[in-house]
Amino acid sequence: MNLIDVKNLLFKYKMYSGEKEEVIEHTAIDNISLSIKKGDFVGILGHNGSGKSTLAKQLAALLKPSSGVIYVGGMDTAKEEQILDIRKTAGLVFQNPDNQLIGNIVEEDVAFGPENMGIPAEEIEMRITKALASTGMTAYREASPGALSGGQKQKIAISGVLAMEP
Ligand SMILES: Nc1ncnc2c1ncn2[C@@H]1O[C@H](COP(=O)(O)OP(=O)(O)O)[C@@H](O)[C@H]1O
Ligand SMILES: [Mg+2]
C-alpha cells in the first residue's frame, strides 16, 4: 500500500481583485496525481508560487481538495473525523522556522507537539533526546531558540515534528 496517494487533486482559492472589484477564483493546484511509498524520499521542484507549499499543506490536511482525493496512510483528508489521525501521520515543517518555534528553550519547543498529543512525560523525554540526536542538535538542548542561526532553527523545527513520530 502507498503511504500517500493523490488522485486528480485540484485546489482553487478565491481572492478579491480591487482592479475588477470582484472575487476571482484562482487555481493553485491543477490536476495532480502522485503516489509515495513508505521509506521514499521525494523532492518536489518548482519556481516560487508554483504550488509546492500548497501541496504540502494538502498532504498534512491543513487544506482540503476542491476536487480529487488524497489518502494519507489510507485516510481520506477530506473526512473531518480523520483529521487528527492524519496530522499524527503527516508532519509539516514550514519554510520559515520562526513560524514554528514557540518555546523559550529548545527542549520545551521540541516537547510542544508530543505534550499536546498527551504523551507521558518520560516518553517525551526520550523523544526529545532521540529527535535532537537525529538532527545533530543535542548540544543545543538548553539553548534559547532565538539565539540560534536560521539553519539551526530549522533543525529544531524538524526535531519538533520528528518528536511527534509522524
Ligand atoms: N488561500 C490562498 N490565498 C491566496 N493565495 C493563495 C492561496 N493559496 C495559494 N495561493 C497562491 O497560490 C500560489 C502557490 O503558492 P505556494 O504553494 O506557496 O507556492 P510555492 O510553495 O511553490 O512557492 C501562490 O501564488 C500563492 O500566493
Ligand atoms: Mg513554498
Side-chain angles (χ1 to χ4, degrees), residues 52-54 95:
K52 304 179 298 291
S53 296
T54 304
Q95 183 164 343

Side-chain angles (χ1 to χ4, degrees), residues 11 13-15 28 46-55 95:
F11 179 66
Y13 62 91
K14 294 192 172 102
M15 224 164 65
H47 58 74
N48 265 345
S50 61
K52 304 179 298 291
S53 296
T54 304
L55 176 62
Q95 183 164 343

Side-chain angles (χ1 to χ4, degrees), residues 119-139:
I119 309 284
E122 318 83 72
E123 165 79 16
I124 292 178
E125 194 63 24
M126 288 191 305
R127 288 192 183 197
I128 296 170
T129 304
K130 193 172 155 196
L132 289 176
S134 67
T135 55
M137 290 300 286
T138 303

Side-chain angles (χ1 to χ4, degrees), residues 20-116:
K20 294 186 177 166
E21 294 187 350
E22 59 179 332
V23 174
I24 311 237
E25 200 169 59
H26 299 269
T27 301
I29 296 181
D30 190 2
N31 195 24
I32 285 185
S33 299
L34 64 94
S35 295
I36 299 175
K37 290 192 204 64
K38 186 173 181 184
D40 281 353
F41 282 80
V42 178
I44 295 170
L45 312 182
H47 58 74
N48 265 345
S50 61
K52 304 179 298 291
S53 296
T54 304
L55 176 62
K57 286 178 192 164
Q58 290 277 351
L59 299 182
L62 293 174
L63 291 172
K64 276 187 198 158
S66 303
S67 71
V69 60
I70 303 176
Y71 293 102
V72 174
M75 298 173 283
D76 183 342
T77 63
K79 296 225 167 87
E80 204 60 50
E81 66 271 18
Q82 295 187 321
I83 292 278
L84 288 177
D85 286 325
I86 291 167
R87 299 221 178 114
K88 285 180 195 166
T89 309
L92 182 60
V93 179
F94 293 98
Q95 183 164 343
N96 180 354
D98 290 328
N99 296 340
Q100 197 145 354
L101 302 182
I102 39 82
N104 291 319
I105 57 169
V106 163
E107 67 174 354
E108 261 173 39
D109 200 275
V110 177
F112 183 77
E115 269 170 4
N116 280 293

